[in-house]
PDB file of all heavy atoms in Angstrom:
ATOM      1  N   THR A  37     -54.246  10.162 154.153  1.00 58.00           N
ATOM      2  CA  THR A  37     -54.058  11.672 153.971  1.00 58.00           C
ATOM      3  C   THR A  37     -55.356  12.306 153.590  1.00 58.00           C
ATOM      4  O   THR A  37     -56.211  11.724 153.099  1.00 58.00           O
ATOM      5  CB  THR A  37     -53.049  11.858 152.756  1.00 58.00           C
ATOM      6  OG1 THR A  37     -53.696  11.253 151.563  1.00 58.00           O
ATOM      7  CG2 THR A  37     -51.745  11.197 153.109  1.00 58.00           C
ATOM      8  N   PRO A  38     -55.422  13.618 153.920  1.00 58.00           N
ATOM      9  CA  PRO A  38     -56.660  14.314 153.648  1.00 58.00           C
ATOM     10  C   PRO A  38     -57.206  14.316 152.210  1.00 58.00           C
ATOM     11  O   PRO A  38     -58.370  14.478 151.896  1.00 58.00           O
ATOM     12  CB  PRO A  38     -56.397  15.788 154.107  1.00 58.00           C
ATOM     13  CG  PRO A  38     -55.252  15.693 155.050  1.00 58.00           C
ATOM     14  CD  PRO A  38     -54.430  14.518 154.558  1.00 58.00           C
ATOM     15  N   GLU A  39     -56.200  14.177 151.230  1.00 60.00           N
ATOM     16  CA  GLU A  39     -56.644  14.186 149.900  1.00 60.00           C
ATOM     17  C   GLU A  39     -57.551  12.983 149.489  1.00 60.00           C
ATOM     18  O   GLU A  39     -58.179  13.099 148.504  1.00 60.00           O
ATOM     19  CB  GLU A  39     -55.325  14.260 148.938  1.00 60.00           C
ATOM     20  CG  GLU A  39     -54.520  15.509 149.090  1.00 60.00           C
ATOM     21  CD  GLU A  39     -53.617  15.530 150.179  1.00 60.00           C
ATOM     22  OE1 GLU A  39     -53.628  14.570 151.002  1.00 60.00           O
ATOM     23  OE2 GLU A  39     -52.851  16.499 150.312  1.00 60.00           O
ATOM     24  N   VAL A  40     -57.510  11.955 150.251  1.00 65.00           N
ATOM     25  CA  VAL A  40     -58.329  10.840 149.867  1.00 65.00           C
ATOM     26  C   VAL A  40     -59.515  10.601 150.798  1.00 65.00           C
ATOM     27  O   VAL A  40     -60.170   9.627 150.970  1.00 65.00           O
ATOM     28  CB  VAL A  40     -57.503   9.501 149.921  1.00 65.00           C
ATOM     29  CG1 VAL A  40     -56.422   9.613 148.869  1.00 65.00           C
ATOM     30  CG2 VAL A  40     -56.936   9.251 151.331  1.00 65.00           C
ATOM     31  N   LEU A  41     -59.935  11.794 151.580  1.00 72.00           N
ATOM     32  CA  LEU A  41     -61.014  11.683 152.448  1.00 72.00           C
ATOM     33  C   LEU A  41     -62.066  12.785 151.998  1.00 72.00           C
ATOM     34  O   LEU A  41     -61.716  13.832 151.418  1.00 72.00           O
ATOM     35  CB  LEU A  41     -60.529  12.062 153.918  1.00 72.00           C
ATOM     36  CG  LEU A  41     -59.694  11.003 154.545  1.00 72.00           C
ATOM     37  CD1 LEU A  41     -59.226  11.614 155.878  1.00 72.00           C
ATOM     38  CD2 LEU A  41     -60.367   9.713 154.726  1.00 72.00           C
ATOM     39  N   THR A  42     -63.264  12.658 152.352  1.00 75.00           N
ATOM     40  CA  THR A  42     -64.340  13.570 152.255  1.00 75.00           C
ATOM     41  C   THR A  42     -64.542  14.227 153.666  1.00 75.00           C
ATOM     42  O   THR A  42     -64.922  13.577 154.559  1.00 75.00           O
ATOM     43  CB  THR A  42     -65.682  12.977 151.723  1.00 75.00           C
ATOM     44  OG1 THR A  42     -65.466  12.474 150.449  1.00 75.00           O
ATOM     45  CG2 THR A  42     -66.781  14.044 151.644  1.00 75.00           C
ATOM     46  N   VAL A  43     -64.264  15.518 153.834  1.00 80.00           N
ATOM     47  CA  VAL A  43     -64.196  16.121 155.118  1.00 80.00           C
ATOM     48  C   VAL A  43     -65.217  17.250 155.158  1.00 80.00           C
ATOM     49  O   VAL A  43     -65.058  18.402 154.754  1.00 80.00           O
ATOM     50  CB  VAL A  43     -62.762  16.786 155.288  1.00 80.00           C
ATOM     51  CG1 VAL A  43     -62.668  17.387 156.755  1.00 80.00           C
ATOM     52  CG2 VAL A  43     -61.670  15.776 155.050  1.00 80.00           C
ATOM     53  N   PRO A  44     -66.449  16.878 155.771  1.00 85.00           N
ATOM     54  CA  PRO A  44     -67.476  17.838 155.914  1.00 85.00           C
ATOM     55  C   PRO A  44     -67.109  18.910 156.944  1.00 85.00           C
ATOM     56  O   PRO A  44     -66.602  18.541 158.053  1.00 85.00           O
ATOM     57  CB  PRO A  44     -68.648  17.038 156.346  1.00 85.00           C
ATOM     58  CG  PRO A  44     -68.344  15.612 155.988  1.00 85.00           C
ATOM     59  CD  PRO A  44     -66.904  15.551 156.115  1.00 85.00           C
ATOM     60  N   VAL A  45     -67.449  20.216 156.706  1.00 88.00           N
ATOM     61  CA  VAL A  45     -67.204  21.155 157.727  1.00 88.00           C
ATOM     62  C   VAL A  45     -68.563  21.834 158.177  1.00 88.00           C
ATOM     63  O   VAL A  45     -68.586  22.530 159.199  1.00 88.00           O
ATOM     64  CB  VAL A  45     -66.278  22.380 157.155  1.00 88.00           C
ATOM     65  CG1 VAL A  45     -64.890  21.806 156.981  1.00 88.00           C
ATOM     66  CG2 VAL A  45     -66.813  22.880 155.834  1.00 88.00           C
ATOM     67  N   MET A  46     -69.590  21.610 157.486  1.00 91.00           N
ATOM     68  CA  MET A  46     -70.897  21.998 157.842  1.00 91.00           C
ATOM     69  C   MET A  46     -71.900  20.921 157.491  1.00 91.00           C
ATOM     70  O   MET A  46     -71.875  20.350 156.369  1.00 91.00           O
ATOM     71  CB  MET A  46     -71.356  23.306 157.139  1.00 91.00           C
ATOM     72  CG  MET A  46     -72.738  23.783 157.503  1.00 91.00           C
ATOM     73  SD  MET A  46     -73.389  25.110 156.343  1.00 91.00           S
ATOM     74  CE  MET A  46     -72.140  26.398 156.491  1.00 91.00           C
ATOM     75  N   MET A  47     -72.795  20.708 158.442  1.00 92.00           N
ATOM     76  CA  MET A  47     -73.848  19.656 158.155  1.00 92.00           C
ATOM     77  C   MET A  47     -75.259  20.213 158.579  1.00 92.00           C
ATOM     78  O   MET A  47     -75.361  20.861 159.552  1.00 92.00           O
ATOM     79  CB  MET A  47     -73.555  18.386 158.969  1.00 92.00           C
ATOM     80  CG  MET A  47     -74.608  17.257 158.776  1.00 92.00           C
ATOM     81  SD  MET A  47     -74.030  15.636 159.382  1.00 92.00           S
ATOM     82  CE  MET A  47     -74.050  15.975 161.098  1.00 92.00           C
ATOM     83  N   ALA A  48     -76.187  19.971 157.657  1.00 94.00           N
ATOM     84  CA  ALA A  48     -77.641  20.408 157.850  1.00 94.00           C
ATOM     85  C   ALA A  48     -78.433  19.207 157.871  1.00 94.00           C
ATOM     86  O   ALA A  48     -78.370  18.313 157.025  1.00 94.00           O
ATOM     87  CB  ALA A  48     -77.997  21.402 156.790  1.00 94.00           C
ATOM     88  N   ILE A  49     -79.431  19.172 158.827  1.00 95.00           N
ATOM     89  CA  ILE A  49     -80.344  18.006 158.942  1.00 95.00           C
ATOM     90  C   ILE A  49     -81.735  18.497 158.948  1.00 95.00           C
ATOM     91  O   ILE A  49     -82.154  19.379 159.581  1.00 95.00           O
ATOM     92  CB  ILE A  49     -80.122  17.243 160.325  1.00 95.00           C
ATOM     93  CG1 ILE A  49     -78.660  16.796 160.350  1.00 95.00           C
ATOM     94  CG2 ILE A  49     -81.040  16.072 160.452  1.00 95.00           C
ATOM     95  CD1 ILE A  49     -78.332  16.111 161.719  1.00 95.00           C
ATOM     96  N   ASP A  50     -82.531  17.907 158.055  1.00 96.00           N
ATOM     97  CA  ASP A  50     -83.977  18.089 157.877  1.00 96.00           C
ATOM     98  C   ASP A  50     -84.777  16.861 158.089  1.00 96.00           C
ATOM     99  O   ASP A  50     -84.156  15.686 157.980  1.00 96.00           O
ATOM    100  CB  ASP A  50     -84.231  18.745 156.449  1.00 96.00           C
ATOM    101  CG  ASP A  50     -83.683  20.132 156.322  1.00 96.00           C
ATOM    102  OD1 ASP A  50     -84.046  21.017 157.157  1.00 96.00           O
ATOM    103  OD2 ASP A  50     -82.857  20.358 155.467  1.00 96.00           O
ATOM    104  N   TRP A  51     -85.986  16.955 158.267  1.00 94.00           N
ATOM    105  CA  TRP A  51     -86.899  15.727 158.471  1.00 94.00           C
ATOM    106  C   TRP A  51     -88.161  15.867 157.597  1.00 94.00           C
ATOM    107  O   TRP A  51     -88.812  16.884 157.669  1.00 94.00           O
ATOM    108  CB  TRP A  51     -87.280  15.612 159.971  1.00 94.00           C
ATOM    109  CG  TRP A  51     -88.311  14.678 160.240  1.00 94.00           C
ATOM    110  CD1 TRP A  51     -89.658  14.990 160.452  1.00 94.00           C
ATOM    111  CD2 TRP A  51     -88.174  13.251 160.503  1.00 94.00           C
ATOM    112  NE1 TRP A  51     -90.345  13.791 160.756  1.00 94.00           N
ATOM    113  CE2 TRP A  51     -89.456  12.689 160.832  1.00 94.00           C
ATOM    114  CE3 TRP A  51     -87.070  12.402 160.480  1.00 94.00           C
ATOM    115  CZ2 TRP A  51     -89.656  11.394 161.139  1.00 94.00           C
ATOM    116  CZ3 TRP A  51     -87.305  11.001 160.715  1.00 94.00           C
ATOM    117  CH2 TRP A  51     -88.557  10.498 161.041  1.00 94.00           C
ATOM    118  N   ARG A  52     -88.334  14.975 156.681  1.00 91.00           N
ATOM    119  CA  ARG A  52     -89.547  14.984 155.827  1.00 91.00           C
ATOM    120  C   ARG A  52     -89.907  13.637 155.419  1.00 91.00           C
ATOM    121  O   ARG A  52     -89.183  12.832 155.088  1.00 91.00           O
ATOM    122  CB  ARG A  52     -89.138  15.889 154.497  1.00 91.00           C
ATOM    123  CG  ARG A  52     -90.283  16.104 153.628  1.00 91.00           C
ATOM    124  CD  ARG A  52     -89.757  16.925 152.413  1.00 91.00           C
ATOM    125  NE  ARG A  52     -90.889  17.136 151.477  1.00 91.00           N
ATOM    126  CZ  ARG A  52     -90.775  17.683 150.343  1.00 91.00           C
ATOM    127  NH1 ARG A  52     -89.506  18.095 149.917  1.00 91.00           N
ATOM    128  NH2 ARG A  52     -91.778  17.922 149.497  1.00 91.00           N
ATOM    129  N   HIS A  53     -91.289  13.380 155.523  1.00 89.00           N
ATOM    130  CA  HIS A  53     -91.912  12.153 155.247  1.00 89.00           C
ATOM    131  C   HIS A  53     -91.206  10.997 155.926  1.00 89.00           C
ATOM    132  O   HIS A  53     -90.800   9.986 155.278  1.00 89.00           O
ATOM    133  CB  HIS A  53     -91.874  11.957 153.666  1.00 89.00           C
ATOM    134  CG  HIS A  53     -92.451  12.992 152.882  1.00 89.00           C
ATOM    135  ND1 HIS A  53     -93.810  13.552 153.247  1.00 89.00           N
ATOM    136  CD2 HIS A  53     -92.135  13.730 151.769  1.00 89.00           C
ATOM    137  CE1 HIS A  53     -94.156  14.434 152.316  1.00 89.00           C
ATOM    138  NE2 HIS A  53     -93.152  14.590 151.457  1.00 89.00           N
ATOM    139  N   GLN A  54     -90.986  11.106 157.265  1.00 90.00           N
ATOM    140  CA  GLN A  54     -90.407  10.097 158.081  1.00 90.00           C
ATOM    141  C   GLN A  54     -88.990   9.801 157.583  1.00 90.00           C
ATOM    142  O   GLN A  54     -88.528   8.626 157.812  1.00 90.00           O
ATOM    143  CB  GLN A  54     -91.284   8.821 158.117  1.00 90.00           C
ATOM    144  CG  GLN A  54     -92.731   9.053 158.374  1.00 90.00           C
ATOM    145  CD  GLN A  54     -92.957   9.618 159.790  1.00 90.00           C
ATOM    146  OE1 GLN A  54     -92.374   9.205 160.751  1.00 90.00           O
ATOM    147  NE2 GLN A  54     -93.771  10.686 159.887  1.00 90.00           N
ATOM    148  N   THR A  55     -88.390  10.727 157.059  1.00 94.00           N
ATOM    149  CA  THR A  55     -86.952  10.404 156.475  1.00 94.00           C
ATOM    150  C   THR A  55     -86.049  11.613 156.875  1.00 94.00           C
ATOM    151  O   THR A  55     -86.420  12.762 156.844  1.00 94.00           O
ATOM    152  CB  THR A  55     -87.042  10.325 154.985  1.00 94.00           C
ATOM    153  OG1 THR A  55     -87.865   9.149 154.623  1.00 94.00           O
ATOM    154  CG2 THR A  55     -85.567   9.946 154.394  1.00 94.00           C
ATOM    155  N   TYR A  56     -84.808  11.319 157.333  1.00 95.00           N
ATOM    156  CA  TYR A  56     -83.850  12.284 157.577  1.00 95.00           C
ATOM    157  C   TYR A  56     -83.108  12.613 156.228  1.00 95.00           C
ATOM    158  O   TYR A  56     -82.726  11.798 155.436  1.00 95.00           O
ATOM    159  CB  TYR A  56     -82.778  11.810 158.532  1.00 95.00           C
ATOM    160  CG  TYR A  56     -83.261  11.561 159.905  1.00 95.00           C
ATOM    161  CD1 TYR A  56     -83.678  10.294 160.412  1.00 95.00           C
ATOM    162  CD2 TYR A  56     -83.417  12.671 160.883  1.00 95.00           C
ATOM    163  CE1 TYR A  56     -84.101  10.129 161.646  1.00 95.00           C
ATOM    164  CE2 TYR A  56     -83.884  12.400 162.165  1.00 95.00           C
ATOM    165  CZ  TYR A  56     -84.213  11.229 162.512  1.00 95.00           C
ATOM    166  OH  TYR A  56     -84.654  11.002 163.802  1.00 95.00           O
TER     167      TYR A  56
END
Side-chain angles (χ1 to χ4, degrees):
T37 60
E39 291 84 353
V40 298
L41 295 173
T42 301
V43 185
V45 291
M46 181 193 299
M47 181 166 67
I49 301 179
D50 293 302
W51 169 262
R52 187 180 179 186
H53 302 315
Q54 309 299 315
T55 300
Y56 292 99

